[in-house]
Structures are given as C-alpha cells and as structure tokens.
C-alpha cells in the first residue's frame, strides 16, 4: 500500500514522517529525492546543467545561484519544474518498487506539495497533517525566526490547509502534544488493510 503524506508548512509533517521511520515504516522523502536527482550521477543533472549552466561551478550545482535565477522568473521556474518533477517521480516510484520487492507492505511518500501537483493518483491514500492556520503561523514564526508577514507569505504560497484537509483521505490533527499526535498515528495505522 502506498500512502501520500502531506500537510502545510509547520503543521508537523516531518514529526509524523520521523515517527513512522522510527517504527520501521519506510518513508520516501521527495525533498531528499530532489537533491539526489541533481547529484552529478542523478537523473536530472544533465538536463538542468544544460538549461542553467550559470548555476554550476566546476560541474557542481550551486543551489543558491539556481534559487536566484528562478526566484523572480516564473518561466525559468516552470522550466526547472518540468525538468525535475518527472525525474523525482521516476526515482520515487523506483524506490517504492524496490521496497515492495523486499516485502514491504506499506510505503509512505513524504511530498510537501502532493495536493498542489499531480501526485495524488500515485498513492492509495492521502494523509494530511493538519493544524489550524493561526497555530501554523505561530509555529512557523517561532521555528524560522520570521516576522508574521514573512510567515504569512510562506503559508500563502501553498494550498490552504483547510482545502488540504478536505482533500485528505485521513487527517492527523496536530494541535496538542507530540504524544497525542503519536497516538493518532498509531490509531490511523490500525485502520490500514496491511499487516505490519
């Protein structure tokens, strides 16, 4: 069974992913895969290097330079996404296939923008880690030492958390203690039609 794990920034998705891994459930992290495909032997390296040669020094991607190039240019940002997303997807699916061949009955895809992109059809169930918008803002301001305006800008760049909640097959509400969140994860795992 393939699970898509997502949420909003600072809602607690990483906490859930870490807890699942601690309990022996494999988690494939889209952000880590995005880094892997940009390594010199990675799936997207040659295409991105050809499209953005100015972001490379001695064959190594300088992420800050690439960030500057795409930050204010939506066409270049879209081009980068077109080059990267199919390769990220390809690598994530290959990793899931490997795990399932090793008899893993449950594989979790940790994808921050799962509902913003066209990832939903790749998973059997979408799990959203949720907290209300004001708590989300407070957590982000505290975690990243941001002003309220900066935090709001970051939150607004993603699909609204209430919309994500509506699109979920299962919602983990992270508005209390970490222990309460862990109990919810345990309850959710019991609802899955796989043996662990």
């Amino acid at each position: 069974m393939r699970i898509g794990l997502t949420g909003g920034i600072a809602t607690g998705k990483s906490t859930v992913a870490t807890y699942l891994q601690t309990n022996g459930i494999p988690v494939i992290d889209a952000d880590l895969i995005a880094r892997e495909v940009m390594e010199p032997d990675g799936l997207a390296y040659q295409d991105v290097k050809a499209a953005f040669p100015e972001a490379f020094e001695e064959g190594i991607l300088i992420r800050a330079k690439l960030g500057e190039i795409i930050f204010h240019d939506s066409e270049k940002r879209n081009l980068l996404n077109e080059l990267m997303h199919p390769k990220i997807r390809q690598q994530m699916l290959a990793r899931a296939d490997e795990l399932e061949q090793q008899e893993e009955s449950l594989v979790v895809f940790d994808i921050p923008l799962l509902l913003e992109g066209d990832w939903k059809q790749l998973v059997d169930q979408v799990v959203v880690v949720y907290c209300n918008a004001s708590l989300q803002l407070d957590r982000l301001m505290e975690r990243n030492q941001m002003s309220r305006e900066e935090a709001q800008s970051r939150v607004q760049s993603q699909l609204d958390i209430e919309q994500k909640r509506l699109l979920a097959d299962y919602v983990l509400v992270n508005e209390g203690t970490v222990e309460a969140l862990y109990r919810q994860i345990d309850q959710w795992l019991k609802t899955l039609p796989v043996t662990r």
Side-chain angles (χ1 to χ4, degrees):
M1 184 173 192
R2 296 181 178 185
I3 302 292
L5 176 66
T6 194
I9 189 168
T11 60
K13 181 179 61 61
S14 297
T15 303
V16 173
T18 301
Y19 182 76
L20 293 172
Q21 288 175 307
T22 304
N23 284 278
I25 297 167
V27 176
I28 301 171
D29 184 327
D31 289 340
L32 289 179
I33 298 287
R35 288 184 171 273
E36 286 177 21
V37 300
M38 284 308 304
E39 294 295 324
D41 59 348
L43 294 173
Y45 177 83
Q46 293 298 339
D47 290 341
V48 174
K49 189 176 176 199
F52 300 94
E54 66 277 29
F56 288 77
E57 284 179 16
E58 297 176 11
I60 303 295
L61 172 67
I62 309 301
R63 290 181 186 283
K65 278 192 179 178
L66 184 59
E68 285 170 29
I69 292 165
I70 65 165
F71 188 72
H72 295 292
D73 189 329
S74 61
E75 276 185 34
K76 288 187 176 177
R77 188 165 52 247
N78 290 338
L79 172 61
L80 181 65
N81 287 337
E82 284 169 24
L83 295 173
M84 295 276 294
H85 287 176
K87 303 302 185 186
I88 294 168
R89 180 183 303 243
Q90 181 183 340
Q91 189 143 328
M92 289 183 79
L93 292 173
R95 188 84 33 95
D97 289 343
E98 284 169 25
L99 288 163
E100 286 163 357
Q101 284 164 8
Q102 296 164 17
E103 306 299 314
E104 287 290 350
S105 59
L106 183 62
V107 176
V108 176
F109 290 122
D110 177 347
I111 307 174
L113 301 178
L114 182 135
L115 295 168
E116 287 87 339
D118 56 347
W119 296 88
K120 196 172 179 181
Q121 71 271 20
L122 300 180
V123 297
D124 302 303
Q125 185 182 79
V126 173
V127 175
V128 168
V129 185
Y130 169 89
C131 70
N132 68 65
S134 66
L135 182 55
Q136 183 184 12
L137 267 183
D138 290 346
R139 284 179 178 164
L140 183 58
M141 286 161 55
E142 185 178 328
R143 185 185 82 186
N144 293 28
Q145 299 299 298
M146 287 180 168
S147 69
R148 181 164 291 276
E149 293 72 28
E150 288 174 308
Q152 278 176 323
S153 171
R154 291 286 294 280
V155 167
Q156 287 165 356
S157 72
Q158 296 183 341
L159 187 64
D160 180 71
I161 192 64
E162 298 299 334
Q163 282 183 274
K164 288 188 178 188
R165 182 181 195 167
L166 293 174
L167 293 168
D169 297 306
Y170 198 95
V171 177
L172 296 167
V173 179
N174 183 23
E175 295 181 340
T177 64
V178 173
E179 291 73 25
L181 179 60
Y182 291 166
R183 285 194 296 275
Q184 284 183 70
I185 298 167
D186 292 338
Q187 288 168 346
W188 160 64
L189 290 170
K190 287 176 190 165
T191 70
L192 300 178
V194 291
T195 52
R196 291 262 355 118

